[in-house]
Amino acid sequence: MNAYLITRDGSTWADVVRLVQGESVTVGRAPTNTVVLKDERASRNHAEIFFAQGAWQLRDLDSRNGTMVSGERLAADHLLQPGDILQIGNSQLAFVHDLSQAFPDSGSVLKSSRPVDGSDTLDGTETADAESIFEAFEPTTITHRKEQSRFLDTPSPVEESDESFPKVGRAAAQLCRLAFELAKSTDVVSLANEALTGLFEGTQVDAGAILLKKRGDDGERNGDELEVIASRSDSSHSYHRVSPFLTSTVLRDGQAVMARNVMDDSNLGNRDSRGEILATSVICAPIRLSGEIYGLVHLYTTDTDRTTDPEDLEFTLAVADTVGVALENLNKRQELAENLNQMRTENVQLREQLGVESEIVGSSDVMMRVTQQIARAAPSRATVLIRGESGVGKELVARAVHYSSPRAKGPFVCLNCAALSETLLESELFGHEKGAFTGATDRKVGKFEQADKGTLMLDEIGEMSPTIQAKFLRVLEGHPFERVGGAQAIKVDVRVIAATNRDLEKDVAEGKFRRDLYFRLHVLEIVVPGLRKRPEDIPELAEFFLRKFSDETGRNLQGYTPRAMEQLLRYRWPGNVREMKNVIERAVVLATGEFVDHEDLVLSRLKTVGDTEGGGEPSSLNKGYEPQSLADIEREHILRTLNATGWNKSRAAGILGIERSTLDRKIRRYELSTMKP
């Protein structure tokens, strides 16, 4: 009994293999197979065809993607029948007994898939239709090529005078092109103008408009009043708005209407101030979005020689529904763009957080009090005011408050108010709409919206201008705000943490800072002392930064020489922890030995806050000697500190590094209350 296996690879015939009894045929991707398939979906040794029990059988060799026979996947050995189609990956093979049925023209290889006579027998006992066997192998013939549909050409490829093309066909072509253009619109106004252009081309009108419902307080277009988004008039009259009668009819019934020979001014408002007829034929169609009426398409003609017909009504209704779908897609695109922008911002913030140490380094008494204040402030929703010199770690304290609070899973957004001008600061805080000012090419979500359900830290709050202070205060009081150039009211749930190194009380007295905003911010206060006021933390911080930068640079430094540590302890650190971080980083890079020496430390000659002359040393050291007891010096220093803080005992105690109760005892001991201003 003769048997053949005919293989096909893609669109070309590959080979014909004669099956010989006693010899098995393997099929797979490996070159050692009888039939080699150049198919990534085929296994190296995919299947085997062998003769057993008087018939040819097919066995799958535990291939990765399996072997299919006539559309069914093999689960066991399969007895092959003439006409079986084997599917291995993307390759096909046919099992036949008689090649004359597969190759009726001996001069070509499968030139035709049809047999000479479909009733001819293949093996003397069975009959098969070669066409059915090889129909899966029918070669593909490309008959036409086209890069873009003519229905999307601009201008429309179908002219009004083309009688060979029926009006319905012209309308369908115009509608197809219009839907394509609407899908490319980037904003509501351009979408409405594009729709009007298509409507004027497809109907007998010379004036019209796209009207949408006005936005409500929630920002959605669900109000009862309509606003004109785009209008057009090709006549001598300007566009005349749709009458309340037609508006209520279409909005109530949800159906498109057409009216002709409109003469009743009380119904349609179709006359101008001189009594001239404005509309001889009117079409109104509802714009539907998600099952709700979103607005109207209003069209009319003022030319008595041109009137609309039912086909124009059909076309207008189709355009109105297409506009509704385009508006819904546009809203979703804008929402996705905003979400993407917010996710990118949050991603940047998370990446920044990975590089920020979440622990506050320092075990001095004053830092323990700061830690306790953070723990007490974190569970509250109250505004926190963090005070301290530049570089003491106010942002680190703000992060600790946020990540210890119930808002820890929400975003933490930080903004430096001193780094931006008044206009840019307003845009950063509240966001702006596209086109609000020069350079506003896209809608921007402000920091308040980004920090919704989380915490917003405003560094250098004392640098905020009075105009922004007023708007900022309203948001703190729970009022909604609007983006720059926008009209949508936005309400957020944000906890604000403000930080400053300025004397806000002095700024309030001088009129530089709003008194009401000061009291709104000054709910909970955390004072972070300067590094020189907690010298016991210097060795711990120095060791922390040494380990950090040694790991980053790959250096194996053992520590500090005694002279280097002495210099670190004696230095007054005008830049506080930020300066120490930079000094240690530089020292790690410059150090030549196993220890950081005093020569590796590059310290500045800047004065600390409160210093005058003397190269960073207290001015009192430059004065002549005056005999004073320690009690007198303590009394004078406490009094000056109280006066500097406006007799704020909590702040004074933090600066002095003592408990509030200790300060009260010293005030009574030195009778300082009598000297209070």
Side-chain angles (χ1 to χ4, degrees), residues 128-149:
D129 187 350
E131 182 178 6
S132 64
I133 295 176
F134 294 103
E135 61 183 357
F137 299 151
E138 192 72 44
T140 302
T141 303
I142 299 176
T143 59
H144 297 80
R145 291 182 181 269
K146 187 75 172 179
E147 184 175 355
Q148 182 176 346
S149 169

Side-chain angles (χ1 to χ4, degrees), residues 407 447-449 451-456 492-496:
R407 297 171 176 261
K447 300 297 184 185
F448 266 107
E449 290 184 75
D452 191 25
K453 309 299 182 184
T455 304
L456 173 63
V492 293
D493 177 18
V494 174
R495 183 184 190 181
V496 173

Side-chain angles (χ1 to χ4, degrees), residues 1-4 54 56 80-83 95-101 119-129 133:
M1 182 185 299
N2 294 329
Y4 302 91
W56 288 99
L80 290 173
Q81 301 294 331
F95 176 78
V96 298
H97 282 174
D98 191 347
L99 282 179
S100 64
Q101 301 301 313
S119 61
D120 288 348
T121 60
L122 297 179
D123 57 2
T125 58
E126 300 182 14
T127 303
D129 187 350
I133 295 176

Side-chain angles (χ1 to χ4, degrees), residues 12-215:
T12 61
W13 294 101
D15 201 358
V16 177
V17 178
R18 181 177 180 180
L19 303 180
V20 180
Q21 297 181 17
E23 297 180 6
S24 64
V25 173
T26 58
V27 182
R29 189 160 41 88
T32 55
N33 290 288
T34 309
V35 178
V36 180
L37 300 179
K38 298 178 180 180
D39 190 338
E40 291 297 328
R41 297 196 61 195
S43 298
R44 292 183 58 82
N45 297 297
H46 198 105
E48 179 184 15
I49 300 173
F50 57 94
F51 191 83
Q53 299 177 359
W56 288 99
Q57 300 190 43
L58 171 66
R59 175 180 297 168
D60 183 81
L61 300 177
D62 296 327
S63 62
R64 182 177 68 253
N65 295 315
T67 303
M68 309 283 290
V69 177
S70 299
E72 296 183 2
R73 184 163 180 165
L74 291 187
D77 291 352
H78 175 75
L79 184 64
L80 290 173
Q81 301 294 331
D84 279 350
I85 301 297
L86 285 62
Q87 181 80 30
I88 297 179
N90 293 321
S91 302
Q92 291 180 320
L93 304 91
F95 176 78
V96 298
H97 282 174
D98 191 347
L99 282 179
S100 64
Q101 301 301 313
F103 299 93
D105 185 355
S106 60
S108 64
V109 179
L110 292 182
K111 180 178 180 181
S112 171
S113 64
R114 296 183 179 274
V116 176
D117 185 353
S119 61
D120 288 348
T121 60
L122 297 179
D123 57 2
T125 58
E126 300 182 14
T127 303
D129 187 350
E131 182 178 6
S132 64
I133 295 176
F134 294 103
E135 61 183 357
F137 299 151
E138 192 72 44
T140 302
T141 303
I142 299 176
T143 59
H144 297 80
R145 291 182 181 269
K146 187 75 172 179
E147 184 175 355
Q148 182 176 346
S149 169
R150 66 188 180 93
F151 295 135
L152 302 182
D153 291 342
T154 303
S156 176
V158 182
E159 301 295 339
E160 290 291 335
S161 58
D162 188 358
E163 297 298 335
S164 63
F165 206 77
K167 186 173 183 180
V168 174
R170 292 197 299 270
Q174 291 169 338
L175 187 61
C176 177
R177 182 179 60 84
L178 179 59
F180 182 73
E181 296 298 327
L182 293 178
K184 297 190 296 184
S185 300
T186 57
D187 57 83
V188 176
V189 176
S190 62
L191 187 149
N193 283 319
E194 194 67 44
L196 280 180
T197 301
L199 286 166
F200 274 55
E201 292 177 358
T203 59
Q204 301 294 318
V205 298
D206 53 24
I210 303 294
L211 302 93
L212 298 180
K213 291 184 176 180
K214 286 189 174 181
R215 295 186 184 274

